[in-house]
Amino acid sequence: MPVEFLGIAATNDGSETTPRSGAAFDKDYTLRLARAHEDHGWDRVLFAYGSGSPDPAPAAAYIAARTDRLQLLLAHRPNVSYPTFAAKTFATLDQISDGRLTVHFITGGNDHEQRREGDTLTKDERYARTREYIGIVKKIWTTHEAFDHEGEHYRFHDFVSDVFPVQQPRPGVSFGGSSAAAYAAGGAEADIYCLWGEPLAETAAQIEKVKAAAREAGRTDVPRIQVAFRPIIAPTEELAWEKAHRTVGAIKERREAGLVRHRRGGAPENAGSQRLIAIAEAGERYDRALWTPTAAATGGAGNSNALVGTPETVAQALLDYYDLGVDILSARGYDLLGDAIDFGRHVIPIVREEVAKRDAARAAATGPLTAVGE
C-alpha cells in the first residue's frame, strides 16, 4: 500500500526548544516552511489549532494559493463554529486548493483549554457533539437539496449550501484520540485515525480497537491509520543521541523558566497524554528507536515521543509501523524548517524505496490470477 508523510504547517518558527523570533503569524516563514515540505517529498502538512493561535483556515488558504501539490490537513474544533458555517468554509478551501483538503476534527481533551473559548461540555459530551457535527458536515458536502436537522447539539431548518468540495464525494475526515469514546466516534466517522507514537505493541493494540469500533459502527471498511513522532536524526548514532539529550535539556530549561505558553500543572486529562506518561514511566527506550524522555519532559503534551538515530535507523523504525498497517507517517522536528528539509532529504526516500520493495514482493508472492481450466 502507498505510504504518505505528514509534516507541520507552523505559522512561526517557535518550538518546545526555541522561542519564536517574530509574530505568531509570520507570513514569510509560513510559506517557506510549506514550500520546504513540498520541495522535499512530503505529501501533506497539518494546520494545527490552539485557542489563542492564528486561525488555521485562512493560513491554509494562503498556502493553498501558493503551492501546487502539497495536501492540506486542517484542524478544526467543533465548539468554535456552527457546522453549517464550517462545511461552507471547508468546501471553499477545497475549491481554493483544487481538492487538496482533509479536515481533522478535534474533540478536545483538556477542559481548561476548551473553556478558553466558551466550551463547558464534559469530554464524553464533546465526543457525542463531534460525532453529530461530522455527520452534518458530511451531509452538507454531499446534499444538493435543503434539509432539516434536529439533533442533541444542533438544530437547523431548510439548509442547503451553494458551495461544494472539488473532491467527490467529499474531502477526507481525520480524527484522533485514545479513549473508548474516541475509538467509538472515530471508528464510526473517520477516514483517517490518528495516533501518537507509542511502542509497536501498544500501537498494534490501538489499531485493533479502531478496527473493532469501525465494525461495531456497521462499517465494512476501516480508517487508515496515522502515527506521529518527533524524529531526531544525525549522521551517526552517537551524534543523534547527543542531539536527543540536548533537545530534552532545552525543553526542560524552557519549561522550568516558565517560557512555555499556556502551561498548566497537574496530570493531563486526555487519555492519549496519560498513555504517553505511563509509557515514559515504564521505560526510556522501546523497539528500534522510540525514546520517551521528550514526552516526559513535556508532560505528555501531544505528539512528543521521539525516534532517535541515523536516517537509516529512523527509516527502519518507521517501516516497523508501516508493517503494522500504518500508512500515514507524521513527523515534526524541533528545528521546524531545518528538520523538515533533513527528514525529507534523508529519511523519506529510504522509506519510500523500502515500501516499494515490500509492495513488489507482495505482488510477486500473490501472482496473477489464473483462469479456470488454464
Side-chain angles (χ1 to χ4, degrees), residues 197-207 229 286-290 316-324 326:
E198 296 185 4
L200 291 166
E202 284 80 357
T203 300
Q206 287 210 80
I207 292 173
F229 302 97
Y286 292 86
D287 305 319
R288 195 186 300 266
L290 190 73
Q316 291 301 323
L318 291 169
L319 287 161
D320 292 338
Y321 288 89
Y322 175 82
D323 291 338
L324 290 181
V326 176

Side-chain angles (χ1 to χ4, degrees), residues 10-12 22-35 59 62-63 66:
T11 60
N12 60 72
F25 181 60
D26 181 333
K27 187 169 64 173
D28 293 339
Y29 183 85
T30 300
L31 182 56
R32 285 178 62 205
L33 183 60
R35 285 180 172 163
Y62 172 69
I63 293 304
R66 290 162 177 81

Side-chain angles (χ1 to χ4, degrees), residues 64 143 236:
T143 302
T236 68

Side-chain angles (χ1 to χ4, degrees), residues 20-104:
R20 72 183 190 221
S21 61
F25 181 60
D26 181 333
K27 187 169 64 173
D28 293 339
Y29 183 85
T30 300
L31 182 56
R32 285 178 62 205
L33 183 60
R35 285 180 172 163
H37 282 88
E38 185 170 62
D39 293 342
H40 290 89
W42 298 78
D43 299 285
R44 183 182 287 118
V45 288
L46 168 65
F47 294 81
Y49 190 92
S51 61
S53 301
D55 186 346
Y62 172 69
I63 293 304
R66 290 162 177 81
T67 55
D68 299 317
R69 303 176 306 279
L70 194 64
Q71 301 283 318
L72 315 173
L73 179 59
L74 178 68
H76 179 76
R77 285 185 186 163
N79 60 291
V80 300
S81 67
Y82 214 71
T84 51
F85 176 85
K88 294 184 297 180
T89 299
F90 304 147
T92 303
L93 184 52
D94 200 52
Q95 290 283 344
I96 292 171
S97 66
D98 295 321
R100 289 183 276 152
L101 178 69
T102 300
V103 182
H104 179 66

Side-chain angles (χ1 to χ4, degrees), residues 366-374:
T366 303
L369 293 176
T370 303
V372 175
E374 292 185 357

Side-chain angles (χ1 to χ4, degrees), residues 176-201:
S178 297
S179 66
Y183 298 137
E189 297 291 349
D191 302 301
I192 299 169
Y193 201 99
C194 306
L195 302 170
W196 289 332
E198 296 185 4
L200 291 166

